[in-house]
Coordinates of all heavy atoms in Angstrom, one line a residue:
Y12 N -43.0 -19.6 16.2 CA -42.5 -18.6 15.3 C -43.5 -17.5 15.3 O -44.7 -17.7 15.0 CB -42.4 -19.2 13.9 CG -41.8 -18.4 12.8 CD1 -40.4 -18.6 12.5 CD2 -42.5 -17.4 12.2 CE1 -39.8 -17.8 11.5 CE2 -41.9 -16.6 11.2 CZ -40.5 -16.8 10.9 OH -39.9 -16.0 9.9
A76 N -40.5 -24.7 13.6 CA -41.5 -24.3 14.6 C -42.6 -25.3 14.7 O -43.0 -25.9 13.7 CB -42.1 -22.9 14.2
D77 N -43.2 -25.4 15.9 CA -44.3 -26.2 16.2 C -45.6 -25.4 15.9 O -46.6 -26.0 15.5 CB -44.4 -26.6 17.6 CG -43.2 -27.5 18.0 OD1 -42.9 -28.5 17.3 OD2 -42.4 -27.1 18.9
V78 N -45.6 -24.1 16.1 CA -46.8 -23.2 16.0 C -46.3 -21.9 15.4 O -45.2 -21.4 15.7 CB -47.4 -23.0 17.4 CG1 -48.5 -22.0 17.4 CG2 -47.9 -24.3 18.0
I79 N -47.2 -21.3 14.6 CA -47.0 -20.0 14.1 C -48.0 -19.1 14.6 O -49.2 -19.4 14.6 CB -47.1 -20.0 12.5 CG1 -46.4 -21.2 11.9 CG2 -46.7 -18.6 11.9 CD1 -44.9 -21.2 12.1
V80 N -47.6 -17.9 15.2 CA -48.5 -16.9 15.6 C -48.2 -15.6 14.9 O -47.0 -15.2 14.9 CB -48.4 -16.6 17.2 CG1 -49.3 -15.5 17.6 CG2 -48.8 -17.9 17.9
A81 N -49.2 -15.1 14.1 CA -48.9 -13.9 13.3 C -49.9 -12.8 13.7 O -51.1 -13.0 13.8 CB -49.2 -14.3 11.8
E93 N -44.5 -15.6 4.9 CA -44.3 -16.6 6.0 C -45.6 -17.4 6.1 O -45.5 -18.6 6.3 CB -43.9 -15.9 7.3 CG -42.6 -15.2 7.3 CD -42.3 -14.2 8.4 OE1 -43.3 -13.6 8.8 OE2 -41.2 -14.1 8.8
L94 N -46.7 -16.8 6.1 CA -48.0 -17.5 6.3 C -48.2 -18.5 5.1 O -48.6 -19.6 5.3 CB -49.2 -16.6 6.4 CG -49.2 -15.8 7.8 CD1 -50.3 -14.8 7.7 CD2 -49.4 -16.8 8.9
G95 N -47.9 -18.1 3.9 CA -48.0 -18.9 2.8 C -47.1 -20.2 2.9 O -47.6 -21.3 2.6
R96 N -45.9 -19.9 3.3 CA -45.0 -21.1 3.5 C -45.5 -22.0 4.6 O -45.4 -23.2 4.5 CB -43.6 -20.6 3.8 CG -42.9 -19.8 2.7 CD -42.4 -20.6 1.5 NE -41.5 -21.6 1.8 CZ -40.2 -21.5 1.5 NH1 -39.7 -20.5 0.9 NH2 -39.3 -22.5 1.8
A97 N -46.0 -21.4 5.7 CA -46.4 -22.2 6.8 C -47.6 -23.1 6.4 O -47.8 -24.2 6.8 CB -46.7 -21.3 8.0
V98 N -48.6 -22.5 5.7 CA -49.7 -23.2 5.2 C -49.3 -24.3 4.3 O -49.8 -25.5 4.4 CB -50.7 -22.3 4.5 CG1 -51.7 -23.1 3.7 CG2 -51.4 -21.3 5.4
A99 N -48.4 -24.1 3.4 CA -47.9 -25.1 2.5 C -47.3 -26.3 3.1 O -47.4 -27.4 2.6 CB -46.9 -24.5 1.5
V100 N -46.8 -26.2 4.3 CA -46.2 -27.3 5.0 C -47.0 -27.8 6.2 O -46.6 -28.7 6.9 CB -44.7 -27.1 5.5 CG1 -43.8 -26.9 4.3 CG2 -44.7 -25.9 6.4
G101 N -48.3 -27.3 6.3 CA -49.2 -27.8 7.3 C -48.9 -27.4 8.7 O -49.2 -28.2 9.6
K102 N -48.4 -26.2 8.9 CA -48.2 -25.7 10.3 C -49.4 -25.3 11.0 O -50.4 -24.8 10.3 CB -47.2 -24.6 10.3 CG -45.8 -24.9 9.8 CD -45.0 -25.8 10.8 CE -43.6 -26.1 10.3 NZ -42.9 -26.9 11.3
K103 N -49.5 -25.4 12.3 CA -50.6 -24.8 13.1 C -50.4 -23.3 13.2 O -49.4 -22.9 13.6 CB -50.6 -25.5 14.5 CG -51.7 -25.0 15.4 CD -53.0 -25.7 15.0 CE -54.1 -25.4 16.0 NZ -55.4 -26.0 15.7
I104 N -51.4 -22.5 12.7 CA -51.3 -21.1 12.6 C -52.4 -20.4 13.3 O -53.6 -20.7 13.2 CB -51.3 -20.7 11.1 CG1 -50.2 -21.3 10.4 CG2 -51.2 -19.1 11.0 CD1 -50.3 -21.2 8.9
L105 N -52.1 -19.3 14.1 CA -53.0 -18.4 14.7 C -52.7 -17.0 14.2 O -51.6 -16.5 14.4 CB -52.9 -18.4 16.2 CG -53.7 -17.3 16.9 CD1 -55.2 -17.5 16.7 CD2 -53.4 -17.3 18.4
C106 N -53.7 -16.4 13.5 CA -53.5 -15.0 13.1 C -54.3 -14.1 14.0 O -55.5 -14.4 14.3 CB -54.1 -14.9 11.6 SG -53.1 -15.7 10.4
L107 N -53.7 -13.1 14.5 CA -54.4 -12.1 15.4 C -54.6 -10.8 14.6 O -53.7 -10.3 14.0 CB -53.4 -11.8 16.6 CG -53.0 -13.0 17.4 CD1 -51.9 -12.7 18.4 CD2 -54.2 -13.6 18.1
I120 N -56.7 -13.9 4.1 CA -56.4 -14.4 5.5 C -57.7 -14.9 6.1 O -57.8 -16.0 6.6 CB -55.8 -13.3 6.3 CG1 -54.5 -12.8 5.7 CG2 -55.6 -13.8 7.8 CD1 -53.4 -13.9 5.6
R121 N -58.7 -14.1 6.2 CA -60.0 -14.5 6.8 C -60.6 -15.7 6.1 O -61.1 -16.6 6.7 CB -61.0 -13.3 6.8 CG -62.4 -13.7 7.2 CD -62.9 -13.2 8.5 NE -62.5 -11.8 8.8 CZ -62.1 -11.5 10.0 NH1 -61.9 -12.4 11.0 NH2 -61.8 -10.2 10.3
G122 N -60.5 -15.8 4.8 CA -61.0 -16.9 4.0 C -60.2 -18.2 4.2 O -60.8 -19.3 3.9
A123 N -59.0 -18.1 4.6 CA -58.2 -19.3 4.8 C -58.6 -20.1 6.1 O -58.3 -21.2 6.3 CB -56.7 -19.0 4.9
E124 N -59.3 -19.3 7.0 CA -59.7 -19.9 8.3 C -60.8 -21.0 8.1 O -61.7 -20.8 7.3 CB -60.2 -18.8 9.2 CG -60.7 -19.4 10.5 CD -61.3 -18.3 11.4 OE1 -61.9 -17.3 10.9 OE2 -61.2 -18.4 12.6
T125 N -60.6 -22.0 8.8 CA -61.7 -23.0 9.0 C -62.2 -22.9 10.4 O -61.4 -22.7 11.3 CB -61.3 -24.4 8.6 OG1 -60.2 -24.8 9.4 CG2 -61.0 -24.5 7.1
R126 N -63.5 -23.1 10.6 CA -64.1 -22.8 11.9 C -64.0 -23.9 12.9 O -64.3 -23.8 14.1 CB -65.6 -22.5 11.7 CG -65.8 -21.2 10.9 CD -65.5 -20.0 11.8 NE -65.6 -18.8 11.0 CZ -65.5 -17.6 11.5 NH1 -65.2 -17.5 12.7 NH2 -65.6 -16.6 10.7
S127 N -63.4 -25.1 12.5 CA -63.4 -26.2 13.5 C -62.3 -25.9 14.6 O -61.4 -25.2 14.3 CB -63.0 -27.5 12.8 OG -61.7 -27.5 12.3
R128 N -62.5 -26.4 15.7 CA -61.7 -26.1 16.9 C -60.2 -26.6 16.6 O -59.3 -26.1 17.1 CB -62.2 -26.8 18.1 CG -61.4 -26.5 19.4 CD -62.2 -27.0 20.6 NE -61.5 -26.9 21.8 CZ -61.3 -25.8 22.5 NH1 -61.8 -24.7 22.1 NH2 -60.6 -25.8 23.6
N129 N -60.1 -27.7 15.8 CA -58.7 -28.2 15.6 C -58.2 -27.8 14.2 O -57.3 -28.4 13.6 CB -58.7 -29.7 15.7 CG -59.7 -30.4 14.7 OD1 -60.4 -29.7 13.9 ND2 -59.6 -31.7 14.6
S130 N -58.7 -26.7 13.7 CA -58.2 -26.1 12.4 C -56.7 -25.8 12.4 O -56.3 -25.3 13.4 CB -59.0 -24.9 12.1 OG -58.5 -24.2 11.0
L131 N -56.1 -26.0 11.3 CA -54.7 -25.6 11.3 C -54.5 -24.1 11.1 O -53.5 -23.6 11.5 CB -54.0 -26.3 10.1 CG -53.6 -27.8 10.3 CD1 -52.9 -28.3 9.0 CD2 -52.7 -27.9 11.5
F132 N -55.5 -23.4 10.6 CA -55.4 -22.0 10.3 C -56.6 -21.3 11.0 O -57.7 -21.5 10.7 CB -55.5 -21.7 8.8 CG -55.1 -20.4 8.4 CD1 -53.8 -20.1 7.8 CD2 -55.9 -19.3 8.6 CE1 -53.4 -18.9 7.5 CE2 -55.5 -18.0 8.2 CZ -54.3 -17.8 7.6
Q133 N -56.3 -20.5 12.0 CA -57.3 -19.8 12.8 C -57.0 -18.3 12.8 O -55.9 -17.9 12.8 CB -57.3 -20.3 14.3 CG -57.6 -21.7 14.4 CD -57.6 -22.2 15.9 OE1 -57.9 -21.4 16.8 NE2 -57.1 -23.4 16.1
V134 N -58.1 -17.6 12.7 CA -58.1 -16.1 12.8 C -58.8 -15.7 14.1 O -60.0 -16.1 14.3 CB -58.7 -15.4 11.6 CG1 -58.7 -13.9 11.7 CG2 -57.9 -15.9 10.3
Q135 N -58.2 -14.8 14.8 CA -58.9 -14.4 16.1 C -58.8 -12.9 16.1 O -57.7 -12.3 16.1 CB -58.2 -15.0 17.3 CG -58.8 -14.5 18.6 CD -60.2 -15.0 18.8 OE1 -60.4 -16.2 18.7 NE2 -61.1 -14.2 19.1
F149 N -55.9 -20.1 23.0 CA -55.3 -20.9 21.8 C -54.4 -22.0 22.3 O -54.5 -23.2 21.9 CB -54.6 -19.9 20.9 CG -53.9 -20.6 19.8 CD1 -54.5 -21.1 18.7 CD2 -52.5 -20.8 19.8 CE1 -53.9 -21.7 17.6 CE2 -51.8 -21.4 18.8 CZ -52.5 -21.9 17.7
A152 N -55.9 -25.0 24.2 CA -56.7 -25.9 23.3 C -55.8 -26.8 22.4 O -56.3 -27.7 21.8 CB -57.6 -25.1 22.4
L153 N -54.5 -26.6 22.4 CA -53.6 -27.4 21.6 C -53.4 -28.8 22.1 O -53.4 -29.0 23.3 CB -52.2 -26.7 21.5 CG -52.0 -25.5 20.7 CD1 -50.6 -25.0 20.8 CD2 -52.4 -25.7 19.3
S154 N -53.3 -29.7 21.2 CA -53.1 -31.1 21.6 C -51.8 -31.5 20.9 O -51.3 -30.9 20.0 CB -54.2 -32.0 21.1 OG -54.2 -32.1 19.7
P155 N -51.2 -32.6 21.4 CA -50.0 -33.1 20.7 C -50.2 -33.4 19.2 O -49.3 -33.1 18.4 CB -49.6 -34.4 21.5 CG -50.2 -34.2 22.8 CD -51.5 -33.4 22.6
Q156 N -51.4 -33.8 18.8 CA -51.7 -34.1 17.4 C -51.6 -32.8 16.6 O -51.3 -32.8 15.4 CB -53.0 -34.8 17.3 CG -53.1 -36.2 17.9 CD -53.3 -36.1 19.4 OE1 -53.6 -35.1 20.0 NE2 -53.2 -37.3 20.0
D157 N -52.0 -31.7 17.2 CA -52.0 -30.4 16.5 C -50.6 -30.0 16.1 O -50.4 -29.3 15.1 CB -52.5 -29.3 17.4 CG -54.0 -29.3 17.6 OD1 -54.8 -29.8 16.7 OD2 -54.5 -28.9 18.7
L158 N -49.6 -30.5 16.8 CA -48.3 -30.1 16.6 C -47.5 -31.0 15.7 O -46.4 -30.7 15.2 CB -47.5 -29.9 17.9 CG -48.2 -29.0 18.9 CD1 -47.4 -29.0 20.2 CD2 -48.3 -27.6 18.3
T159 N -48.1 -32.2 15.3 CA -47.4 -33.1 14.5 C -48.1 -33.5 13.2 O -47.5 -34.0 12.3 CB -47.2 -34.5 15.3 OG1 -48.5 -35.0 15.7 CG2 -46.4 -34.3 16.5
R160 N -49.4 -33.1 13.1 CA -50.1 -33.5 11.9 C -49.9 -32.5 10.7 O -49.4 -31.4 10.9 CB -51.6 -33.7 12.1 CG -52.2 -32.3 12.3 CD -53.7 -32.5 12.4 NE -54.3 -31.3 12.0 CZ -55.4 -30.7 12.5 NH1 -56.0 -31.3 13.4 NH2 -55.9 -29.6 12.0
S161 N -50.2 -33.0 9.6 CA -50.2 -32.1 8.4 C -51.4 -32.4 7.5 O -51.7 -33.5 7.2 CB -48.9 -32.4 7.6 OG -48.9 -31.6 6.4
D162 N -52.1 -31.3 7.2 CA -53.3 -31.4 6.3 C -53.0 -31.1 4.9 O -53.9 -31.0 4.1 CB -54.4 -30.5 6.8 CG -55.0 -30.9 8.1 OD1 -54.7 -32.1 8.6 OD2 -55.8 -30.1 8.7
V163 N -51.7 -31.0 4.5 CA -51.3 -30.7 3.2 C -51.5 -32.0 2.4 O -50.9 -33.1 2.7 CB -49.9 -30.2 3.1 CG1 -49.5 -30.0 1.6 CG2 -49.8 -28.9 3.9
V164 N -52.2 -31.9 1.3 CA -52.4 -33.1 0.4 C -51.7 -32.8 -0.9 O -52.0 -31.8 -1.6 CB -53.9 -33.4 0.2 CG1 -54.1 -34.5 -0.7 CG2 -54.6 -33.6 1.5
Y179 N -50.1 -19.6 -4.1 CA -50.8 -19.4 -2.8 C -50.0 -18.4 -2.0 O -50.5 -17.5 -1.4 CB -51.0 -20.7 -2.1 CG -51.8 -20.5 -0.9 CD1 -53.2 -20.4 -0.9 CD2 -51.2 -20.5 0.4 CE1 -54.0 -20.2 0.2 CE2 -52.0 -20.4 1.5 CZ -53.3 -20.2 1.5 OH -54.1 -20.1 2.6
L183 N -51.1 -14.6 -0.8 CA -51.1 -14.1 0.6 C -50.2 -12.9 0.8 O -50.6 -11.9 1.5 CB -50.7 -15.2 1.6 CG -51.8 -16.2 2.0 CD1 -51.1 -17.3 2.8 CD2 -52.9 -15.6 2.8

Side-chain angles (χ1 to χ4, degrees):
Y12 190 97
D77 299 304
V78 174
I79 314 302
V80 176
E93 291 164 330
L94 289 174
R96 295 288 297 256
V98 165
V100 296
K102 296 290 183 178
K103 181 77 171 178
I104 301 167
L105 172 64
C106 293
L107 301 169
I120 299 300
R121 174 111 37 227
E124 177 184 32
T125 55
R126 296 286 177 177
S127 68
R128 184 168 174 81
N129 62 355
S130 168
L131 282 180
F132 195 102
Q133 296 178 35
V134 176
Q135 179 66 53
F149 174 77
L153 287 179
S154 70
Q156 294 82 7
D157 288 327
L158 305 178
T159 59
R160 72 171 207 217
S161 173
D162 288 349
V163 176
V164 177
Y179 186 78
L183 275 175

